[in-house]
Amino acid sequence: MENLAAPNRRTFGRRRVLGYAAALVLAVGLLSGGPAAAKSEDEAGAFLLSLTSQAIGQLTNGEVPIEERKTRFRALFRENFDIAAIGRFVLGRYGRGTPQPVMDDFLATFEDVMVERFVPQFAGYGDTRFKVGTVRQVEDKGQYIVSSAITPPGTENEVQIDWRVREVGGGFKVLDIVGEGVSMALTLRAEYGSVLKASGGKVEQLVVLLRDRLGAQAAAAN
Amino acid sequence: MFPWRIGAQLSAILVTGCANQPGDTAWTTGGALDGELRGSAHIQLAQQNTDDNTDALFGVSDDEEIDDNDPLEIPNRFIFAFNQGLDVILLKPVASGYKFLVPQRVRDSVRNVLRNMATPLILINDLLQGEFERAETTVARFAINTSGGVLGLFDVAADEGYVYHEEDFGQTLGSYGIGEGAYLVLPLFGPSSIRDGIGRVVDIFLDPFTYLARAKDVETEFLLRPIVNGIDTRSRNIDTLEDLERDSIDFYARIRSLWRQNRQNEIENGRDVGPTVSPGVSALDYDFEIDDGEPSSAQ
């Protein structure tokens, strides 16, 4: 385990979690409407803690009807993830020059894919341990990489998850989730790229395939 | 026969974890998208985005998806399909039965013994990579688990901070800066590369058990260990792999990408050397399974 103290990293203690969250709420309140201030690593970390605690509070209770959990996830996802940037990134070069209606269609479908992907994963994870580790600023990009570790229920193994977070409009949005060195965005880009290559780069065709798969998943769930 | 460990590790992405203190903190972002970015640096980013160029944001080069480095894609896909078929008719049923019939503690001990037996190979590769601290861990684990862990049945070393890690000659070659050559799907063993395929063969010759088995004329040991290993690993990833495949539209391409990223992370021993690689990660074998929607008792 490397735990090098780089000058631009901050280490979070778990007890400081609520303190940071409270400070952040205050900071956001003060800054809203004003000029965007430079966000610190601490705020990026606090953003992630806030996001995950909301996700845990809203999504892990399997007794809440699945449709309700999907609605909650969608709201959190739209608010906290840079869906437009992620969507464009996963299309890679095939996304360039795509007409706006097709792109909109893809982004809406992509959001549905994410809902189906993630919502079932949360159920039963209420007693997973989660902690934020170090936060690094990515050079000159207004971006941070927030390291976190989760310990799923019933194991003692910590799983390392890094969040690529970007400053947007005075707040933060998640760009990518990297688990044990495996990037969600890169993986989807590779998969979609392969499909797009086979279909002559038609994003419409990718959307059809994604929709078909969603339909099959829904049929299997019933 | 499949990237079992990759499956487990991907689930890390899929599960975004939970905190000790589910707070009620109502925190909202500014809700702005690119158009509302402020500050000169951000305006530049926004302009990039209007050009549909988001690659810089993710720290990757523009041609990342153009080169899959898979010149053998057609035969690879064929072998991949063969492996999947074999999985459906043989490995998965056997692994499911094993998981169902054998208690968790026994299965854990089976894995512990297999890991303990892998010590010489891991140690050799630790040393070949110049990873002396990790070599020390490997030796300490062997000493502790063979004695206090009753011939490796119990992983007591992990409790003392000596956590298991895996090494192989493919990783050693990777650590010397040798590229993968090309992506390669091996029959039975699944995703690999030219480099890692060669590594597998070299590992057979580096492993003292190979010579022990030959000296004692115990060919079964030679075969038994990988078979048990395959069943054990598969049994730990049943839900994870199903989950991985469920929403995939090109499972082959998804696995290829996962394998490649995971392999790179293993070679780097989880160190932060690239833009999308985690800092401070060690390449541990995280075996956990995705909970398929059971309500938590803690709720």
Side-chain angles (χ1 to χ4, degrees), chain B residues 53-231:
Chain B
N53 181 9
T54 49
D55 295 356
L57 284 177
F58 290 80
V60 302
S61 65
D62 200 29
D63 54 358
E64 194 86 32
E65 86 283 13
I66 296 168
D67 186 10
D68 293 323
N69 194 23
D70 193 2
L72 301 170
E73 181 164 346
I74 291 168
N76 277 343
R77 278 189 186 266
F78 181 80
I79 296 167
F80 186 80
F82 168 80
N83 285 347
Q84 271 190 299
L86 201 66
D87 183 60
V88 169
I89 60 168
L90 188 66
L91 182 59
K92 192 178 169 187
V94 170
S96 302
Y98 173 71
K99 189 181 171 188
F100 182 72
L101 294 172
V102 182
Q104 167 106 40
R105 284 179 174 216
V106 178
R107 282 185 281 127
D108 284 349
S109 280
V110 168
R111 183 175 64 170
N112 290 339
V113 169
L114 288 168
R115 286 178 167 183
N116 210 39
M117 286 175 78
T119 299
L121 198 55
I122 297 170
L123 180 62
I124 290 167
N125 282 298
D126 278 336
L127 293 171
L128 286 173
Q129 293 172 30
E131 294 277 0
F132 299 113
E133 217 168 286
R134 283 162 74 90
E136 201 181 312
T137 300
T138 304
V139 172
R141 281 182 56 81
F142 186 73
I144 295 167
N145 285 342
T146 306
S147 56
V150 195
L151 296 174
L153 282 170
F154 304 101
D155 189 358
V156 285
D159 300 334
E160 295 183 30
Y162 297 107
V163 183
Y164 176 78
H165 67 264
E166 208 168 53
E167 286 298 343
D168 54 66
F169 196 69
Q171 288 187 52
T172 299
L173 290 174
S175 76
Y176 296 158
I178 295 170
E180 64 175 24
Y183 183 65
L184 192 65
V185 181
L186 299 172
L188 308 181
F189 295 102
S192 189
S193 66
I194 305 281
R195 175 195 63 206
D196 296 300
I198 292 168
R200 273 186 177 276
V201 177
V202 174
D203 279 332
I204 292 171
F205 288 101
L206 287 178
D207 191 347
F209 278 103
T210 306
Y211 303 99
L212 205 65
R214 188 182 288 177
K216 293 197 171 182
D217 207 18
V218 200
E219 282 173 12
T220 44
E221 193 280 335
F222 188 69
L223 289 173
L224 193 64
R225 200 151 54 114
I227 290 171
V228 175
N229 215 341
I231 294 168

Side-chain angles (χ1 to χ4, degrees), chain A residues 14 24 34 56 93 96 117 121-122 125 128 130 136 141 143 158-159 161-162 164 168 180 183 187 191 194, chain B residues 12 16 18-20 27 32 38 56-57 62 65 243 247-250 254 261 265 272 275 278-279 286:
Chain A
R14 283 204 216 155
L24 194 66
I56 296 142
R93 65 189 170 118
R96 282 170 215 148
R117 163 90 277 171
Q121 311 291 348
F122 281 97
Y125 271 77
T128 299
F130 178 89
R136 281 183 314 148
K141 285 185 189 166
Q143 282 186 28
E158 275 193 348
V159 181
I161 300 189
D162 289 353
R164 185 177 277 264
V168 180
E180 293 298 323
S183 148
T187 306
E191 183 175 8
S194 176
Chain B
T16 46
C18 307
N20 286 333
W27 194 89
R38 281 162 264 185
L57 284 177
D62 200 29
E65 86 283 13
D243 195 74
D247 73 339
S248 179
I249 51 170
D250 187 344
R254 177 173 286 197
Q261 292 180 65
N265 195 48
D272 185 18
S278 333
Y286 293 109

Side-chain angles (χ1 to χ4, degrees), chain A residues 59-203:
Chain A
L59 302 174
T60 57
N61 186 353
E63 288 168 20
V64 174
I66 184 93
E67 288 308 320
E68 168 62 19
R69 278 182 279 140
K70 285 181 183 176
T71 307
R72 292 176 180 179
F73 177 87
R74 210 178 277 276
L76 281 176
F77 187 61
R78 283 181 184 168
E79 190 171 296
N80 297 295
F81 284 72
D82 195 339
I83 303 171
I86 299 168
R88 274 194 298 270
F89 177 77
V90 297
L91 290 179
R93 65 189 170 118
Y94 300 103
R96 282 170 215 148
T98 304
Q100 198 57 43
V102 177
M103 185 56 104
D104 290 344
D105 200 20
F106 169 71
L107 290 176
T109 308
F110 182 68
E111 188 180 297
D112 291 345
V113 170
M114 292 293 104
V115 169
E116 296 304 322
R117 163 90 277 171
F118 282 95
V119 170
Q121 311 291 348
F122 281 97
Y125 271 77
D127 46 1
T128 299
R129 293 201 298 279
F130 178 89
K131 62 185 181 192
V132 167
T134 57
V135 182
R136 281 183 314 148
Q137 184 157 20
V138 180
E139 283 174 32
D140 302 329
K141 285 185 189 166
Q143 282 186 28
Y144 301 89
I145 295 191
V146 184
S147 298
S148 69
I150 72 163
T151 313
T155 80
E156 289 304 313
N157 290 329
E158 275 193 348
V159 181
Q160 184 88 25
I161 300 189
D162 289 353
W163 307 69
R164 185 177 277 264
V165 169
R166 173 193 184 195
E167 279 181 62
V168 180
F172 293 94
K173 284 185 188 286
V174 176
L175 281 172
D176 194 11
I177 307 174
V178 182
E180 293 298 323
V182 178
S183 148
M184 186 182 78
L186 269 183
T187 306
L188 290 173
R189 179 183 171 111
E191 183 175 8
Y192 293 175
S194 176
V195 168
L196 285 162
K197 193 164 126 190
S199 69
K202 290 198 180 77
V203 176

